[in-house]
Amino acid sequence: MWGLTLWLALAATIVLMIRPRLHETSASLSFLLHFALALPFFSLAYLFMANDTSILHVAAFGGADLPLKYRFAATWAAREGPLLMWLGWMALLSWWWRRPFSGEEGSDRGVHELRLRLSHGMSLALLLISFSLDPFKPTPAFFFGNGLNPLLQTDLMVIHPPLIFLTYSMCLHLSAVGLSAAYTQATTALSDRMLAIARPALLTATLGIGLGGLWAYLILDWGGYWAWDPVETGSFLPWLALVAMIHLRTRPGRVSDQVWIGAALLTAFLSIFATTVTRAGGVWASSIHTFVTNDSGTPPSDVFGRLMQLQADSAATEIMVYVTWMFTLIGCWFAVLQSQGTGSSLQKNHAWATGIPVAAGLLGWLLLNSEGVWSWTSIPHAVFLGLLFVPLGLSSLTKSSPLSNETQAWSYHGISPAPIHLLASAAVFLLCQDVFITFAFISLFLPLYYASSALDAWPWAAAGVVLGLSLAWSELLSLPVAAFVLFLYVLPWLLAPNQDEESPVSLAEGRTQRRIALWGSVILVSLYLVLTWVLLLASIDAVNFDAHELYGAPFMTGVALCFFLYTRRNDDPKDNLILIGITLGISTVGFVFFADSFGRDASTLISGSLTRGHIIWVSLPALILALAPMAREVNRTLTKARSKGTVLHIPFGAHIVHFGLLLLLLGHLSTTVLVDRGDASHRLSLVKDEVIIHDGIGYEFTELTLESEGFDVGDGFVGVYITVYEMNEDEVGKKIGEVRPGMLRFDEQGIPRSEVDTLTRLSGDIVFIFDGSQSNALMQTVQSENAEAVDLVRVTVYVLPHSHAVWLGWVMMMGGMALVTLTGSKKASQRINKANGKQAEEE
């Protein structure tokens, strides 16, 4: 019965693809069809809330004893629910953005219709995956589920996953905007269309990721909000792509339509990639909070090879569709670049190539119903690789002109008639034997290859250089192979003849400093995105926490200096250089002579001879330097906004975001970089009624508590009362608070959950944790003897000064993003109304 909702959603999707502008003739029918797409999710959520155990999914993860909100959250506890939720978000956004965006009004190329069809096609792909998973399958006899994972039985898990999938849905709609523009050449006001989605997407992503960090801070036994876990790093990648896209408009010079389209495709690719990280848990085995796993996802050592091992998995269709989807997006990007380089145009009737993921989903459904005769293992790996050449091949069918170099500028195609891009790509693949690395190389190399002047395409070369360096740092490539990759990207600067500069560039000029500041927002974020993605590729067996922090520090410094230059654009440029020079000098002196001066875990080695203190000195002075000028800029833009009688002012909101980011990064240095969570010195043994002094703080274990009633979730609580003192020089303590960390029992699952407690002070938090081993040891003592016999407990304590800066910065960023989003939406509505009015006058 409930499976009928999937068929209703399928019928609705087909109708909407055939009649994408149905809302113009029948608004009510259009709404009902969009609602039908979300109906499977609402149905599954209802079954969970009613605890209908006749449905296997509910029997496995639901529970009559769960509070209603956690029954609802159990809907996305496994594979089936999140897909239906994703489908519901896609339907909502398709209905919300059903009307033409700026530049789509009155278009005779059908860009509006194509965008809607593409978004519905993406929904269809998700729906077909859902068919293969059969979310409403009945519960077999004698089946007893384990219930909802204890880590998911929290309020934050009611909110965090939906926000992440809403972000991914917005990114998919961004790709629909980009692809519709590419295949119709209707690029008027393309940036406005992109920003109309990118701005709310960034706000949603910031809220979602922040809530995930808060969940880790309060629930997991990390003792922090961020640990570069593959799942959280995966969700961070679309955020970085959205940041880079939003700043494209601020960089100097005109941004080509191809770059906007590429940015949109990148956000969608990274959203699918991040979903794959979460859903193919056996591939990224190092993730601590991947709740969907696959036992078959083991070696080989590369990501593509491990994904292909999941062809035999029960959920193979989902992963294979994601792989197909990613390769199709890459293929579309290649087609866009080829059309630009050869002077041809993508044709609207070739846009069907974007529907390859739908075909993959349909194939998965057919394979599932072949009764074992065929399966995904029957499909060679090369078929998946060939998918990216479908959009590329179709673009080759259009009339094009041979590559030429009339400008006499140095170009790759100008040095040889041979297809250097194909030869270089083949060489890289043969040397590295890694599909994703090869695709990354091609994606960054093709813009260089097709550029009429390779020297002018230096941002792509810079990204390629970072790609090569990152692959070497992460040991995904050997040094000789990485050097070969670097050589291919820097070749123009090695072979191009010296060109006389029309005017020398001086860093002491205000114009030059402004250009650096404006370029930096896009370039630094984009380069950091490349680095983060590569390190995630290398994290399939172990989290590269040290590498993320070590190699990310220079980017942090660069962003801070760009903020400084921009906010002081009206000040004396020479003073700016002097202040930057002094700051870098302080960083250098501190780096060389005072690396251990921050105390705590500053002396812990993080790489070779470098310590955590060294990383702090790289970034801290620059972040502090940028703070005061940014505060002044916030005040300046607020004054300007008030003079206009409103606070809906994009620069004002943007600089609130920037100021919040600086605060967050400063807090990050203190609460994450300076804390070695693997150091045993943070684990304290507390003797009952005895004050143990550690780093100037006194801790006294006073009482053991056993509770079995009064919980929303869990079957019992074992905890300890700890009184905390601030000690003076005479070791006399002043009580500053009391905490009660412990462990919450979940007898049905057999999995205890650490209950973290936090003592909040003006200077920052002190976090108290019973990890798994500590909780188990305490429980065994209680069971074998009694509560009174416990006179020694072990607890993990993290002192996190300046932790409030992280959360204050996060809140400020969301407030600023909300202002930017509302202001942008208001301006977009005014532009559309003006265009509609002009069109009505002409008619």
Side-chain angles (χ1 to χ4, degrees):
M1 167 188 166
W2 295 103
L4 181 62
T5 59
L6 292 173
W7 291 100
L8 289 175
L10 178 62
T13 307
I14 293 173
V15 172
L16 288 171
M17 291 185 71
I18 296 173
R19 297 281 306 280
R21 298 172 68 175
L22 179 63
H23 59 275
E24 296 178 356
T25 56
S26 179
S28 57
L29 179 56
S30 174
F31 174 81
L32 288 175
L33 291 174
H34 284 87
F35 179 79
L37 281 172
L39 190 58
F41 172 71
F42 291 136
S43 299
L44 186 62
Y46 165 77
L47 292 170
F48 266 99
M49 296 175 77
N51 195 40
D52 187 345
T53 55
S54 66
I55 303 299
L56 178 60
H57 193 38
V58 178
F61 300 101
D65 297 332
L66 285 175
L68 205 58
K69 58 186 176 181
Y70 297 151
R71 292 191 201 180
F72 179 65
T75 308
W76 46 82
R79 292 187 178 277
E80 297 85 349
L83 272 173
L84 297 182
M85 177 173 61
W86 200 351
L87 178 63
W89 281 131
M90 289 294 295
L92 173 64
L93 294 178
S94 295
W95 180 81
W96 185 259
W97 288 321
R98 65 193 182 280
R99 296 186 179 89
F101 282 127
S102 178
E104 291 181 342
E105 316 93 337
S107 174
D108 58 356
R109 296 188 176 108
V111 60
H112 178 214
E113 286 189 1
L114 182 57
R115 172 174 65 82
L116 293 177
R117 285 195 172 101
L118 289 172
S119 63
H120 295 317
M122 295 172 190
S123 298
L124 182 56
L126 296 174
L127 181 58
L128 290 172
I129 298 174
S130 300
F131 267 102
S132 70
L133 295 176
D134 193 6
F136 300 105
K137 53 180 171 283
T139 305
F142 308 109
F143 176 84
F144 298 97
N146 292 325
L148 184 62
N149 189 309
L151 292 176
L152 300 181
Q153 297 183 39
T154 67
D155 292 348
L156 290 171
M157 281 296 108
V158 181
I159 310 171
H160 164 64
L163 289 173
I164 293 299
F165 278 101
L166 176 58
T167 300
Y168 296 168
S169 299
M170 291 181 179
C171 289
L172 293 184
H173 276 273
L174 267 175
S175 70
V177 172
L179 289 170
S180 61
Y183 281 99
T184 60
Q185 292 80 55
T187 56
T188 302
L190 179 58
S191 62
D192 293 333
R193 279 179 263 164
M194 296 287 191
L195 293 176
I197 298 177
R199 283 169 175 159
L202 182 61
L203 172 60
T204 307
T206 304
L207 177 58
I209 293 173
L211 289 176
L214 188 60
W215 171 73
Y217 192 70
L218 298 177
I219 302 301
L220 295 183
D221 55 8
W222 287 357
Y225 66 94
W226 195 261
W228 294 108
D229 180 90
V231 170
E232 61 183 4
T233 305
S235 65
F236 185 48
L237 293 175
W239 188 91
L240 289 172
L242 289 167
V243 170
M245 170 184 279
I246 287 174
H247 285 83
L248 281 175
R249 181 175 276 183
T250 65
R251 51 140 279 194
R254 179 184 178 275
V255 180
S256 69
D257 296 330
Q258 286 75 16
V259 172
W260 282 106
I261 293 169
L265 296 180
L266 178 62
T267 61
F269 171 85
L270 293 175
S271 296
I272 300 297
F273 188 84
T275 305
T276 305
V277 174
T278 306
R279 313 281 284 180
V283 174
W284 275 270
S286 60
S287 177
I288 198 172
H289 61 326
T290 301
F291 303 105
V292 180
T293 59
N294 305 86
D295 295 334
S296 55
T298 48
S301 60
D302 67 295
V303 170
F304 179 75
R306 291 197 179 183
L307 289 174
M308 289 299 99
Q309 283 211 329
L310 300 181
Q311 284 180 296
D313 191 82
S314 58
T317 295
E318 181 184 7
I319 303 303
M320 296 306 110
V321 171
Y322 292 155
V323 172
T324 300
W325 208 328
M326 288 188 285
F327 288 0
T328 302
L329 289 170
I330 295 173
C332 290
W333 171 236
F334 291 171
V336 169
L337 292 174
Q338 179 176 264
S339 64
Q340 175 194 19
T342 59
S344 60
S345 298
L346 297 178
Q347 300 299 310
K348 184 180 177 182
N349 60 343
H350 292 160
W352 65 264
T354 62
I356 293 176
V358 175
L362 180 60
L363 175 61
W365 184 77
L366 294 174
L367 292 175
L368 187 66
N369 290 275
S370 67
E371 298 181 354
V373 177
W374 299 96
S375 69
W376 283 103
T377 57
S378 308
I379 301 176
H381 298 177
V383 172
F384 294 93
L385 304 181
L387 292 175
L388 67 89
F389 294 104
V390 175
L392 195 60
L394 290 174
S395 69
S396 301
L397 298 177
T398 58
K399 185 177 180 181
S400 61
S401 57
L403 295 173
S404 61
N405 190 19
E406 297 177 356
T407 63
Q408 302 301 315
W410 195 96
S411 64
Y412 284 89
H413 50 265
I415 61 175
S416 172
I420 296 177
H421 57 312
L422 298 179
L423 296 175
S425 302
V428 169
F429 179 71
L430 291 174
L431 290 171
C432 72
Q433 297 290 306
D434 190 296
V435 171
F436 278 102
I437 291 176
T438 304
F439 286 169
F441 167 79
I442 302 173
S443 299
L444 299 177
F445 186 74
L446 281 183
L448 267 179
Y449 176 78
Y450 284 122
S452 57
S453 173
L455 297 179
D456 292 340
W458 62 267
W460 298 103
V465 169
V466 171
L467 175 66
L469 293 174
S470 303
L471 291 169
W473 293 335
S474 61
E475 298 182 354
L476 288 176
L477 290 185
S478 64
L479 289 179
V481 177
F484 175 71
V485 171
L486 293 174
F487 170 76
L488 292 173
Y489 284 113
V490 302
L491 192 61
W493 286 265
L494 298 177
L495 298 183
N498 293 329
Q499 299 181 2
D500 297 332
E501 295 281 351
E502 294 182 1
S503 58
V505 176
S506 173
L507 292 177
E509 293 182 359
R511 179 174 177 272
T512 302
Q513 292 183 6
R514 283 192 295 272
R515 287 181 61 85
I516 292 174
L518 294 172
W519 266 109
S521 59
V522 177
I523 297 300
L524 287 175
V525 172
S526 300
L527 298 184
Y528 184 63
L529 170 60
V530 173
L531 169 69
T532 306
W533 181 76
V534 170
L535 293 178
L536 179 56
L537 283 185
S539 298
I540 53 179
D541 290 319
V543 176
N544 289 309
F545 176 91
D546 294 349
H548 278 289
E549 297 294 349
L550 176 62
Y551 300 131
F555 290 93
M556 225 186 291
T557 302
V559 167
L561 293 180
C562 287
F563 283 166
F564 173 78
L565 288 175
Y566 182 78
T567 54
R568 287 181 54 88
R569 61 193 178 279
N570 296 322
D571 296 309
D572 189 338
K574 294 182 180 179
D575 289 345
N576 293 343
L577 283 184
I578 292 172
L579 289 171
I580 289 177
I582 293 173
T583 301
L584 296 179
I586 293 173
S587 287
T588 303
V589 172
F591 184 93
V592 175
F593 298 106
F594 303 103
D596 299 340
S597 60
F598 297 102
R600 295 193 284 160
D601 297 327
S603 60
T604 303
L605 286 175
I606 202 167
S607 175
S609 59
L610 297 179
T611 66
R612 293 174 181 268
H614 287 119
I615 295 179
I616 298 295
W617 277 114
V618 170
S619 304
L620 181 62
L623 291 172
I624 294 175
L625 175 70
L627 204 58
M630 187 60 71
R632 184 184 66 172
E633 190 70 16
V634 170
N635 183 64
R636 179 187 297 166
T637 51
L638 174 60
T639 302
K640 185 175 181 180
R642 282 178 172 174
S643 67
K644 298 180 180 180
T646 180
V647 294
L648 293 180
H649 186 53
I650 287 180
F652 174 54
H655 292 308
I656 290 178
V657 175
H658 298 155
F659 188 80
L661 178 60
L662 288 172
L663 286 179
L664 190 150
L665 292 176
L666 285 167
H668 178 82
L669 292 179
S670 180
T671 61
T672 303
V673 178
L674 270 180
V675 180
D676 181 6
R677 288 175 169 81
D679 191 340
S681 65
H682 295 290
R683 299 180 183 90
L684 305 183
S685 295
L686 303 182
V687 180
K688 191 171 184 179
D689 298 326
E690 181 179 328
V691 177
I692 303 299
I693 302 175
H694 182 72
D695 290 340
I697 304 292
Y699 307 94
E700 181 184 11
F701 160 41
T702 59
E703 182 184 352
L704 177 73
T705 178
L706 302 175
E707 301 175 16
S708 57
E709 297 180 353
F711 307 109
D712 286 341
V713 295
D715 300 294
F717 174 78
V718 180
V720 296
Y721 285 95
I722 300 175
T723 304
V724 186
Y725 303 91
E726 188 169 10
M727 311 301 292
N728 59 24
E729 295 180 357
D730 298 325
E731 296 190 354
V732 176
K734 176 185 177 182
K735 182 179 177 180
I736 57 177
E738 186 177 59
V739 293
R740 193 187 66 158
M743 179 199 70
L744 196 61
R745 295 194 343 262
F746 290 82
D747 296 338
E748 185 176 355
Q749 289 89 355
I751 304 173
R753 187 179 81 190
S754 177
E755 289 293 282
V756 178
D757 203 356
T758 302
L759 178 64
T760 299
R761 301 188 297 167
L762 188 62
S763 60
D765 292 340
I766 304 177
V767 180
F768 298 80
I769 303 168
F770 274 111
D771 63 25
S773 62
Q774 294 162 346
S775 299
N776 291 333
L778 180 61
M779 180 59 67
Q780 289 172 5
T781 303
V782 172
Q783 291 175 344
S784 62
E785 302 179 39
N786 57 66
E788 296 298 328
V790 177
D791 57 5
L792 177 69
V793 296
R794 291 183 298 116
V795 63
T796 301
V797 180
Y798 295 115
V799 179
L800 304 177
H802 317 116
S803 58
H804 306 325
V806 173
W807 306 115
L808 176 60
W810 173 54
V811 171
M812 290 187 66
M813 289 176 68
M814 288 189 296
M817 290 174 184
L819 279 176
V820 171
T821 300
L822 290 174
T823 307
S825 177
K826 181 179 178 180
K827 289 185 176 181
S829 297
Q830 292 173 346
R831 283 193 296 266
I832 292 175
N833 292 336
K834 184 177 180 180
N836 290 337
K838 184 178 180 181
Q839 183 179 355
E841 291 177 1
E842 293 176 351
E843 293 176 353

